């Protein structure tokens, strides 16, 4: 039995390859191999595919293997017509997909993944394309169908609504496909199946699934029950295995709560011992309160180059959204990291703009806190996510239609129509201010 796994196109006003790898799909690949399938992968977002330059001009890598995707301007969906920006298909062009499918030939089953729900138009286009070439069942899984199952069913694919892979065998059986029980500890024993790639520009891993916190704007607790932790020994084994196959210089951890695992220091110690000639990155905000000096020094010794702290906002919303971090936690973490030798180029804090109830002052104060501690700023625009406390409150107050088309929840689009948040101009002003600060001399005053 032959299965084709596809990482679909992104349709958006902007998208950047900030170490995007379909790690969930690579676990699905391993599970399918475990069940005896012959597995093939088409990753339309792999900028480092050696065949891609024959089909598109591929922008050169920027920092640490990140970079711009090839893109094509496409027509905006009706609902986005009033947004005065160009809408694009990001990733390999359709001719590349056509060629790949010809190379792979007939398959028995197709599986498509998805991450951000508001990227669904790219998922749907990919599914339409596949349907026009194959007459086999297409299964859609990932974050989008888990958050918007009913909407995802309109894609024309059969939807896998679960996160955990232990449910995959019975799902396949229900479709008439062969299966075999998946080990309950698959997250420990399975490696994400990177060997399906010819070339990658970096490697992305996760060492934990889930998060013990319950922030009111975040869906992670709905996606994963509790916190699952992979043993440091297995993580190191996996990294080593793939560093031997791919000559990459950057290794990235995408965890939501890596410091909450209770095993991170052990992992860092093992990484330090290995002395691999690579840089490490933590692009998904870590918990400032959980950072201690020993961890900071180990991060430095292990050659971490990107550390993002989850800060989100200053002011009363810190408590109201769940109390994950307070100013004093951020300040403490920033100082510890500076003491360990990190600079503002390596450490920055995520600040969210346009959270319900947030004022411009909350954001500006948060920026000032970062500034005074000599750490960088990464501005994120808020988007409501189903299943979160924020979503439920907004629906209850009549400020959000629960049946909204997910494309309108694109964080770039929200300020153009949502009258309960900040205006496009206000957000732009904040972003310009942050941009100016980044370029200014202010940060250089810090040792
Ligand atoms: C990594 C990540 C990113 C990465 C890139 C994601 C990527 N690879 O494309 C980056 C850093 C770019 C990112 C950015 C953002 N993200 Co993000 N991100 C994540 C994160 C932390 C991990 C995703 C992941 O790899 N999970 C681990 C794998 C194992 O899980 P999985 O993909 O679900 O796969 C499992 C199952 O779903 C299933 N499966 C997956 N595919 C398939 C396919 C088939 C056929 C089957 C059967 C099964 C199956 O099997 C897998 C194993 O169990 C999630 C949170 C989370 N923990 O899921 C948020 C998350 C997806 N992000 C989220 C958000 C909000 C954002 C931002 C918008 C934040 C912001 N406000 O700025 C930005 C977007 C900026 C932009 N416009 O680009 C939200 C999604 C909201 C939504 N409506 O979709 C999430 C859920 C976090 C949250 N806050 O609640 N993100
Ligand atoms: S925002 Fe971070 S700390 Fe809060 S629940 Fe989500 S993953 Fe956990």
């Amino acid at each position: 039995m032959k299965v084709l796994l596809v990482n679909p196109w992104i349709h958006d006003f902007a998208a950047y390859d900030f170490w995007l790898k379909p790690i969930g799909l690579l676990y699905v690949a391993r599970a399918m191999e475990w069940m005896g399938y012959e597995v093939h992968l088409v990753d339309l977002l792999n900028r480092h595919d050696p065949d891609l330059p024959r089909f598109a001009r591929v922008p050169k890598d920027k920092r640490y293997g990140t970079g711009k995707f090839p893109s094509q301007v496409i027509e905006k969906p009706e609902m986005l017509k009033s947004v005065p920006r160009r809408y694009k298909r990001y990733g390999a062009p359709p001719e590349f997909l056509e060629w790949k499918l010809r190379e792979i030939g007939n398959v028995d089953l197709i599986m498509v993944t998805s991450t951000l729900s508001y990227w669904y138009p790219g998922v749907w286009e990919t599914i339409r394309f596949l349907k026009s070439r194959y007459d086999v069942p297409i299964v859609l899984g990932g974050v989008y169908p888990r958050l918007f199952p009913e909407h995802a069913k309109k894609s024309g694919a059969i939807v896998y609504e679960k996160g955990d892979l232990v449910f995959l065998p019975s799902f396949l059986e229900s479709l008439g496909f062969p299966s075999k029980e998946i080990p309950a500890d698959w997250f420990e024993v399975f490696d994400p199946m990177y060997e399906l790639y010819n070339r990658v520009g970096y490697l992305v891993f996760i060492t934990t699934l889930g998060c013990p916190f319950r922030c009111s704007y975040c869906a992670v607790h709905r996606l994963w029950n509790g916190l699952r932790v992979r043993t440091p020994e297995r993580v190191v084994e996996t990294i080593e295995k793939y560093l031997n196959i791919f000559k990459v210089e950057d290794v990235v951890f995408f965890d939501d709560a890596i410091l909450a695992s209770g095993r991170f220091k052990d992992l860092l110690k093992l990484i330090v011992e290995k002395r691999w000639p690579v840089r490490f990155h933590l692009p998904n905000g870590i918990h400032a309160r959980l950072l201690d000096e020993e961890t900071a020094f180990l991060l430095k010794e292990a050659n971490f180059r990107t550390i993002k702290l989850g800060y989100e906002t200053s002011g009363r919303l810190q408590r109201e959204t769940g109390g994950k971090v307070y100013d004093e936690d951020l300040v403490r973490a920033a100082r510890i990291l500076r003491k360990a030798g990190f600079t503002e180029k390596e450490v920055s804090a995520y600040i969210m703009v346009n959270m319900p109830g947030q004022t411009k002052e909350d954001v500006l104060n948060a920026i000032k806190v970062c500034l005074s501690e000599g750490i960088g700023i990464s501005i994120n625009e808020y988007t409501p996510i189903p299943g979160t406390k924020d979503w439920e409150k907004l629906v209850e107050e009549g400020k959000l239609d629960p049946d909204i088309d997910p494309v309108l929840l694109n964080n770039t689009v929200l300020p153009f129509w949502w009258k309960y948040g900040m205006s496009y101009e206000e957000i732009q002003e904040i972003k310009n201010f942050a941009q100016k600060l980044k370029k200014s001399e202010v940060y250089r005053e810090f040792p």
Side-chain angles (χ1 to χ4, degrees):
M1 281 270 167
K2 206 165 153 185
V3 60
L4 169 64
L5 301 170
V6 182
N7 190 25
W9 284 305
I10 295 173
H11 289 189
D12 204 336
F13 295 97
Y16 184 81
D17 179 13
F18 246 122
W19 302 306
L20 259 67
K21 277 284 160 278
I23 188 95
L25 191 67
L26 299 181
Y27 276 106
V28 174
R30 182 67 70 200
M32 296 305 285
E33 185 203 39
W34 164 266
M35 288 188 272
Y37 287 77
E38 179 187 324
V39 184
H40 296 263
L41 171 73
V42 177
D43 182 350
L44 294 172
L45 301 181
N46 182 20
R47 293 184 305 109
H48 299 94
D49 190 308
D51 293 308
L52 187 55
R54 293 200 278 121
F55 298 89
R57 197 187 65 78
V58 185
K60 283 211 175 77
D61 272 5
K62 298 223 170 154
R63 241 156 95 99
Y64 304 147
T66 69
K68 287 185 177 172
F69 288 113
S71 63
Q72 302 107 48
V73 176
I74 53 168
E75 204 169 322
K76 284 176 217 166
E78 206 45 47
M79 264 166 298
L80 302 182
K81 285 275 194 276
S82 62
V83 180
R85 290 181 61 179
R86 288 192 306 175
Y87 199 60
K88 291 184 180 176
R89 175 197 299 118
Y90 291 92
E95 300 75 37
F96 172 88
L97 177 55
E98 185 77 62
W99 170 78
K100 272 273 184 194
L101 297 183
R102 243 182 288 124
E103 291 276 294
I104 292 167
N106 287 341
V107 298
D108 302 291
L109 175 65
I110 300 177
M111 302 179 106
V112 179
T113 192
S114 59
T115 33
L116 302 182
S117 43
Y118 57 71
W119 282 344
Y120 84 81
V123 176
W124 283 29
E125 192 202 10
T126 310
I127 290 172
R128 275 197 305 273
F129 193 101
L130 294 165
K131 277 193 162 233
S132 71
R133 305 300 190 275
Y134 291 105
D135 188 18
V136 300
I138 301 183
V139 177
L140 170 63
V143 173
Y144 157 54
R146 288 164 74 194
L147 294 177
F148 287 91
E150 294 314 313
H151 189 277
K153 282 175 195 161
K154 292 190 247 167
S155 65
I158 305 158
V159 165
Y160 183 72
E161 294 179 32
K162 305 277 190 197
D164 203 315
L165 291 178
V166 290
F167 302 108
L168 196 53
S170 57
F171 176 82
L172 288 172
E173 268 165 44
S174 73
L175 300 178
F177 283 92
S179 72
K180 181 175 137 191
E181 197 179 334
I182 300 283
D185 62 345
W186 62 267
F187 185 59
E188 170 73 0
V189 296
F190 283 179
D191 286 332
M193 203 168 169
Y194 271 103
E195 49 272 51
L196 290 172
Y197 286 99
N198 288 332
R199 187 159 79 209
V200 290
Y202 47 80
L203 289 165
V204 176
F205 298 104
I206 41 173
T207 74
T208 53
L209 277 178
C211 175
F213 291 81
R214 292 279 181 278
C215 301
S216 63
Y217 43 80
C218 179
V220 167
H221 68 275
R222 197 188 138 184
L223 293 173
W224 304 103
N225 269 337
L227 181 69
R228 285 169 88 160
V229 182
R230 209 169 181 224
T231 56
E233 292 73 20
R234 282 289 295 130
V235 175
V236 162
E237 235 174 72
T238 308
I239 299 175
E240 186 146 65
K241 169 173 159 189
Y242 292 117
L243 282 179
N244 284 332
I245 301 178
F246 302 103
K247 301 293 161 224
V248 298
E249 293 172 7
D250 294 279
V251 175
V252 180
F253 296 111
F254 257 177
D255 302 47
D256 290 302
I258 206 160
L259 294 186
S261 74
R263 303 301 310 273
F264 190 49
K265 278 186 208 174
D266 298 331
L267 173 60
L268 289 176
K269 284 175 192 160
L270 292 179
I271 290 177
V272 167
E273 268 173 33
K274 289 287 179 185
R275 303 254 158 240
W276 294 311
V278 294
R279 297 171 290 246
F280 289 92
H281 308 277
L282 288 172
N284 210 355
I286 59 167
H287 295 86
R289 194 182 303 151
L290 302 182
L291 187 81
D292 62 18
E293 257 188 55
E294 191 188 2
T295 308
F297 278 88
L298 284 166
L299 284 168
K300 189 74 194 161
E301 227 187 318
N303 202 23
F304 274 73
R305 296 293 181 90
T306 307
I307 298 174
K308 302 268 188 186
L309 299 164
Y311 179 27
E312 324 307 358
T313 184
S314 71
R316 63 178 171 77
L317 276 185
Q318 285 180 341
R319 184 173 304 282
E320 287 173 16
T321 55
K324 146 178 108 174
V325 63
Y326 294 103
D327 285 5
E328 54 270 31
D329 301 317
L330 189 91
V331 168
R332 209 189 82 307
R335 290 183 185 173
I336 287 176
L337 288 165
R338 191 129 42 91
K339 192 169 165 194
F342 288 101
T343 69
E344 87 285 346
K345 285 210 168 62
E346 292 148 335
V347 181
S348 61
Y350 277 122
I351 297 177
M352 205 131 65
V353 183
N354 208 13
M355 295 162 85
Q358 190 186 37
T359 63
K360 215 164 108 183
E361 282 61 47
D362 290 335
V363 181
L364 295 177
N365 284 338
I367 292 176
K368 276 183 210 153
V369 171
C370 296
L371 195 63
S372 65
E373 289 306 320
I375 57 173
I377 303 155
S378 297
I379 300 283
N380 263 337
E381 285 174 65
Y382 172 80
T383 170
I385 309 173
T388 60
K389 270 196 213 135
D390 278 3
W391 175 281
E392 273 147 28
K393 190 156 176 272
L394 291 170
V395 168
E396 216 178 277
E397 292 170 350
K399 293 178 177 166
L400 197 67
D401 172 3
D403 297 320
I404 191 170
D405 189 307
V407 83
L408 289 172
L409 297 171
N410 182 326
N411 52 8
T412 313
V413 174
L414 208 61
F416 286 100
W417 67 270
W418 202 50
K419 50 183 194 292
Y420 301 102
M422 291 181 196
S423 68
Y424 173 74
E425 288 73 26
E426 274 177 304
I427 294 176
Q428 225 33 51
E429 206 184 305
I430 292 170
K431 282 165 93 176
N432 291 343
F433 176 63
Q435 201 57 34
K436 234 192 292 169
L437 282 178
K438 272 187 192 170
K439 289 192 183 139
S440 77
E441 294 293 307
V442 193
Y443 285 132
R444 311 227 171 97
E445 289 169 19
F446 294 94

